[in-house]
Amino acid sequence: MPRSTKSSKSSVHAIITKEAPSISALAEEVGRPIILVAADETEITTTSTSYPSSDQKYFLFCNTFSYVTMRVAVEGKISTSGQTLYVGIFKGGTQVGELSFTGTRYVVKNINISISDVPSTSSVQIGIRMKVTGGTGYVRMVEFYTIP
């Protein structure tokens, strides 16, 4: 049975498991097993046109098994046609990737980030920050997977 821990700042849950049936399609896409390490399905919004100074959803990651890649899946949308929601992926406070959403209906987008520099002896915060060009941006799901 998976164990779960909850962050005190947000409702991020770290899931410790070998493989969950709901991620089999994603594992098939990358061609090898993947491991869900954290997920959050609490909807957050922003109207800010710049990234905030701290992560809006995050978890602390310790690279115990020396994984090289992390896949970040985000479900987002923008309220107003012609505007864009940007979701920055941050590792240790530094932006390492970005996803953009221009549709007014929720869609899931993925990005791979390198975690090869995360040591096994300490943890690093990995999270997202949101900004928009106009309107309101919505994120209702973020998932973090390691790819062995």
Side-chain angles (χ1 to χ4, degrees), residues 17-29 32-36 143 145:
T17 182
K18 283 289 183 190
E19 184 176 298
S22 63
I23 62 175
S24 61
L26 187 54
E28 226 174 87
E29 177 190 327
R32 56 188 182 267
I34 61 171
I35 301 164
L36 177 65
E143 295 175 341
Y145 301 88

Side-chain angles (χ1 to χ4, degrees), residues 127-148:
I128 66 159
R129 301 178 193 183
M130 302 164 49
K131 68 179 180 178
V132 295
T133 57
T136 302
Y138 298 83
V139 167
R140 72 175 177 192
M141 183 275 299
V142 179
E143 295 175 341
F144 301 89
Y145 301 88
T146 53
I147 303 174

Side-chain angles (χ1 to χ4, degrees), residues 58-120:
Y58 69 90
F59 77 107
L60 296 177
F61 179 71
C62 181
N63 201 358
T64 306
F65 299 104
S66 300
Y67 294 127
V68 174
T69 305
M70 177 171 285
R71 163 88 42 118
V72 181
V74 178
E75 186 176 21
K77 71 176 184 176
I78 189 76
S79 65
T80 308
S81 294
Q83 302 297 326
T84 304
L85 162 66
Y86 293 98
V87 177
I89 313 303
F90 289 77
K91 180 175 63 174
T94 301
Q95 186 174 350
V96 293
E98 183 171 72
L99 295 168
S100 62
F101 298 85
T102 57
T104 57
R105 293 179 186 242
Y106 275 108
V107 64
V108 176
K109 294 190 177 187
N110 300 288
I111 187 170
N112 289 348
I113 64 168
S114 172
I115 54 172
S116 60
D117 60 337
V118 177
S120 63

